[in-house]
Amino acid sequence: MEQEFDLEAEANHVTLFRRDLRALLLANQLDEKAANEVILAVNEVLTNCIRHAYRGKGGKIKVIFQDLPDQVRILVRDYGPKFDPTQKPDPELPPQKPGGLGIYLVRQLMDEVQYNAKWTGGNELQLLKYKCHEAGDKRLKHGG
Amino acid sequence: MKISLRRKNEVHIFDLDGEVDFHTSPELRAQLLKAIEQQSSRILINLKKVSYIDSSGLATFVEALQKSKRANSRIVLAQLESAVRSVFEIARLDGVFSLADSEDEALDMLSRSDTR
């Protein structure tokens, strides 16, 4: 199953989208804890689009939700200047100043985070979450 | 998010209800910094009805904590839901903030001099 969402890069749209995403995740075999983690991670990516890709001036964001047998995959696309957030180093913890935690949270909360450098339309980030811990553990054991 | 302010003796208590995120945290930031600037020496933030927090919310609390230290005031966060507490833990902020399980415990912490 695949579902697409076209969002405006505005904070209140992100708030509303979280409701839709929660319903999708819970309907697709993620437990409450995993759903909360995915929602926060996607929220952080969308917030980054608003703040950094569009610098608060508005724009379009596309979210593609894919339900696969053992995982959910979420693609977030913006059409701003190229920026690979996965290259950002982890912040000092605990943080000594406000801010800078967004992409760190995304990395901690998802099983995989990949930036698609080949996509020429702007920025495409792929977030992946396994539906059960066993699948995630297996992936880590095999280093994949 | 709804922000309510009440006072118990010398403690300013913020009751938050809703989600602390990129959309709502600017208003919370403004109210917290105003309280600190007005020299509220003891601030309790009750998060019992907060179901969600993101990095913008964390940044708001970090800024408020830093400013409170400079103003010689103290902040305690009370009654964090598990989903909210886990976000503080991932950012290792659970060891930076004073966290209380109940409002009474938070008031007790604020009455003692060794509160962070």
Side-chain angles (χ1 to χ4, degrees), chain A residues 82-87 114-126:
Chain A
K82 282 277 187 193
F83 174 68
D84 179 358
T86 64
Q87 297 301 310
Q114 289 183 355
Y115 179 78
N116 182 3
K118 292 178 182 172
W119 191 62
T120 56
N123 298 291
E124 180 184 274
L125 202 64
Q126 174 180 288

Side-chain angles (χ1 to χ4, degrees), chain B:
Chain B
M1 177 178 57
K2 186 178 168 192
I3 304 171
S4 307
L5 184 58
R6 60 194 159 100
R7 194 163 172 168
K8 209 168 196 175
N9 299 322
E10 294 177 10
V11 179
H12 286 78
I13 302 176
F14 286 84
D15 292 303
L16 309 186
D17 186 348
E19 301 179 326
V20 186
D21 63 7
F22 180 60
H23 187 45
T24 61
S25 56
E27 172 64 20
L28 175 62
R29 176 182 181 275
Q31 293 210 29
L32 285 175
L33 297 189
K34 184 179 170 189
I36 294 165
E37 283 164 11
Q38 290 176 343
Q39 299 182 323
S40 306
S41 61
R42 295 172 182 180
I43 296 172
L44 192 163
I45 305 171
N46 195 322
L47 299 169
K48 184 181 180 182
K49 294 182 179 174
V50 171
S51 56
Y52 179 87
I53 187 168
D54 70 5
S55 66
S56 304
L58 291 180
T60 298
F61 287 129
V62 169
E63 184 180 4
L65 183 68
Q66 290 180 336
K67 286 203 164 34
S68 72
K69 284 180 176 173
R70 285 198 283 273
N72 208 23
S73 64
R74 287 175 281 171
I75 292 178
V76 173
L77 308 181
Q79 295 186 286
L80 281 69
E81 289 287 321
S82 61
V84 171
R85 191 178 185 112
S86 70
V87 182
F88 276 82
E89 289 170 353
I90 293 169
R92 297 191 200 161
L93 286 167
D94 53 320
V96 173
F97 283 90
S98 297
L99 304 180
D101 291 333
S102 68
E103 190 167 301
D104 283 345
E105 185 187 349
L107 290 168
D108 185 52
M109 290 166 86
L110 285 166
S111 71
R112 285 188 273 119
S113 58
D114 61 347
T115 304
R116 269 188 294 259

